Amino acid sequence: MLLIADIVSLTETWFTNTESAIRVLCTPNGYNLLDHPRSNGVGGGTGILFKENITVKNLAAGELRSFQYSEWSVVNGSRRLHLIIVYRPPYSDAHPVTTSVFFSEFTNFLESITLSNDPLLITGDFNIHADCTDNLDSIKFLDLLESTGLKQHVRGATHCSGHTLDLIITKQTDNIITSIPRVDHLFSDHNAVLCNLESNAVPLTQKHISFRKLKSVNIEALKEEISSSDLCKNPPSKLIDLVSCYNNTLMTALNHQAPLISKTITTRPAVPWYNDEIKCAKRLRRKAERKWRRTKLPTDFLAFKTAKNHTTFLMNQARQNFYRQFISENSQDQRKVFRATKGLFRHDADLAFPHYNDSNALSNYLGQFFAQKIINIRSELDTASTYEQAVFSDMPSVSLTVTRFIKNFLL
């Protein structure tokens, strides 16, 4: 059975504040990624991966001596969720913080978050053997949860050592977990933990589009309709009436020959480098995964990992080849290169006009805006002409271009 997650809680993301490009590469199409990196050193960090139709806002994030956390408000339709992602590093020479410090800090932390009005969901890697009933740390941790009205739901080993370290915690009064969380198979030293939440199904994004079938226009009929109109036979003498007649005549003819068609479509993420080879590889990967999940044999697991790695290799290779070719073909067109850069970093922005009720008023506003812009540019040029050229003679030249940046990004 193919499982497509709506929300993924992440720990040990290992991101830094400067790795915007890496974040984009780690974000599947149709999803958004938000995270809180570790402020110093390497490793650690928490994050959330979620479908684009879900609204997620960061409420708080921080690092205490014993653990890192991030708080998120998740809204899906009429359902709300207060999600907290926790990562507690294990005791080590690099992190010599005992569990007693963690219990003290986590107790104070729980006192504040359990007052939330929204359903509460705490997930993360606690590095406590919650499955060991004779372990003092485990007993103390579970007693702490019970005393604050919380419940831990995960059963089974979530780490290669055979212990339950990755937990899902909710309020005892919140019935948001619809089934017992399932520990998925091991791909790193930790297993993924899957669960179903009581929530609205995430709908696919829909948008309304309008278009005309211009290729189907009968050119001769269009010529005949325009030539028999008042625009050609009896044109107005005043300019404003002539412009109005021109617009009305052409719009009427266009509506007759190619009427405006409106429809609602479902938008699905797509990438320009996707090809038939990748499609075939994904199909074989899915087939290998189904076989492995059915048989549970190590040989089938190895075959699945081989197919998965091959698919990932093909997608990375196709993406790199696409952008290399794009840069080679458009290296002299900085506009296209800048547009590609925005696409790589997901800086998409829909074209939006100022709020208006009158199209004529909007046209006048835009005309005045650009006229004033030209006046400002001329004024700045007049001012700049008075400067001495010597001011700029010693300035170093900057040769780093957007094209080179993208090339470095793809290497």
Side-chain angles (χ1 to χ4, degrees):
M1 179 181 178
L2 179 62
L3 298 175
I4 301 177
D6 295 319
I7 302 172
V8 182
S9 298
L10 305 171
T11 58
E12 291 192 85
T13 58
W14 283 59
F15 288 137
T16 64
N17 288 320
T18 59
E19 292 179 323
S20 299
I22 301 300
R23 286 177 171 83
V24 172
L25 290 177
C26 292
T27 306
N29 290 306
Y31 285 80
N32 290 324
L33 172 65
L34 298 175
D35 72 286
H36 179 70
R38 183 176 177 179
S39 60
N40 55 69
V42 296
T46 60
I48 177 172
L49 187 70
F50 56 96
K51 284 188 175 180
E52 292 178 339
N53 290 3
I54 300 176
T55 302
V56 175
K57 293 183 180 179
N58 182 230
L59 300 177
E63 300 175 38
L64 304 180
R65 286 182 58 199
S66 61
F67 70 97
Q68 308 163 27
Y69 71 93
S70 56
E71 295 186 53
W72 309 92
S73 170
V74 181
V75 180
N76 176 26
S78 60
R79 303 293 181 117
R80 302 180 64 89
L81 181 68
H82 187 179
L83 173 64
I84 298 175
I85 305 172
V86 175
Y87 172 61
R88 174 189 168 263
Y91 184 92
S92 64
D93 293 338
H95 187 259
V97 181
T98 62
T99 53
S100 61
V101 176
F102 168 72
F103 289 133
S104 175
E105 292 183 338
F106 196 60
T107 299
N108 294 332
F109 181 70
L110 290 179
E111 289 177 355
S112 62
I113 64 173
T114 51
L115 299 177
S116 172
N117 293 326
D118 294 331
L120 180 64
L121 179 66
I122 305 174
T123 68
D125 178 8
F126 288 81
N127 277 302
I128 291 178
H129 297 172
D131 56 305
C132 296
T133 57
D134 57 348
N135 182 283
L136 293 180
D137 287 339
S138 174
I139 295 172
K140 190 172 182 179
F141 180 71
L142 295 177
D143 286 344
L144 172 61
L145 296 182
E146 185 176 1
S147 66
T148 51
L150 300 175
K151 180 181 180 181
Q152 199 285 115
H153 296 267
V154 179
R155 302 289 182 268
T158 66
H159 189 260
C160 60
S161 64
H163 292 291
T164 306
L165 310 183
D166 305 278
L167 310 179
I168 296 177
I169 302 169
T170 66
K171 292 180 181 179
Q172 295 177 1
T173 55
D174 289 340
N175 297 318
I176 59 174
I177 304 288
T178 60
S179 59
I180 297 176
R182 180 168 66 85
V183 178
D184 204 49
H185 297 277
L186 196 69
F187 286 98
S188 64
D189 58 333
H190 286 262
N191 296 79
V193 182
L194 311 176
C195 73
N196 295 322
L197 300 178
E198 183 69 33
S199 181
N200 300 328
V202 180
L204 293 172
T205 302
Q206 292 185 331
K207 67 177 183 180
H208 301 282
I209 62 171
S210 299
F211 61 95
R212 300 178 187 272
K213 295 182 178 180
L214 297 178
K215 292 184 178 181
S216 64
V217 172
N218 187 324
I219 301 300
E220 296 301 323
L222 180 62
K223 290 180 179 179
E224 176 65 25
E225 184 170 354
I226 295 176
S227 62
S228 61
S229 66
D230 289 340
L231 179 64
C232 295
K233 291 186 175 182
N234 187 25
S237 57
K238 293 183 178 181
L239 178 59
I240 188 171
D241 295 334
L242 180 60
V243 171
S244 178
C245 180
Y246 176 86
N247 289 335
N248 293 335
T249 300
L250 294 188
M251 183 58 69
T252 301
L254 185 61
N255 288 334
H256 288 163
Q257 301 299 326
L260 190 66
I261 301 174
S262 298
K263 63 186 300 186
T264 301
I265 63 172
T266 301
T267 59
R268 292 179 172 84
V271 288
W273 41 263
Y274 191 84
N275 54 41
D276 292 337
E277 186 179 12
I278 296 175
K279 183 178 180 180
C280 180
K282 289 181 67 176
R283 187 181 297 115
L284 294 176
R285 179 190 65 181
R286 183 68 191 121
K287 183 178 179 180
E289 182 182 5
R290 284 196 298 266
K291 183 178 180 181
W292 161 59
R293 290 186 182 277
R294 184 177 66 254
T295 65
K296 310 298 184 186
L297 294 176
T299 54
D300 291 334
F301 176 66
L302 181 61
F304 167 52
K305 289 193 70 174
T306 302
K308 178 175 71 71
N309 292 338
H310 178 63
T311 304
T312 303
F313 169 78
L314 290 178
M315 289 191 291
N316 289 335
Q317 185 181 56
R319 179 173 56 248
Q320 292 175 1
N321 291 339
F322 172 81
Y323 283 110
R324 285 197 182 101
Q325 182 179 359
F326 179 86
I327 293 171
S328 176
E329 295 175 353
N330 300 280
S331 58
Q332 303 302 318
D333 190 339
Q334 291 296 307
R335 181 177 182 181
K336 288 187 177 180
V337 177
F338 269 109
R339 189 179 301 163
T341 305
K342 291 178 66 177
L344 283 171
F345 288 96
R346 302 283 176 90
H347 294 161
D348 299 327
D350 294 331
L351 180 63
F353 291 111
H355 177 72
Y356 68 95
N357 296 319
D358 185 358
S359 57
N360 290 330
L362 175 64
S363 301
N364 293 332
Y365 170 80
L366 294 176
Q368 293 172 2
F369 171 81
F370 285 107
Q372 185 61 44
K373 194 169 186 178
I374 293 173
I375 294 174
N376 293 340
I377 292 173
R378 287 176 174 172
S379 176
E380 292 173 1
L381 291 175
D382 291 341
T383 303
S385 65
T386 62
Y387 292 164
E388 294 291 336
Q389 285 290 334
V391 174
F392 304 98
S393 60
D394 296 330
M395 292 181 64
S397 60
V398 180
S399 58
L400 181 62
T401 63
V402 175
T403 300
R404 182 180 300 176
F405 171 75
I406 298 181
K407 288 181 178 178
N408 293 335
F409 167 73
L410 293 174
L411 291 178

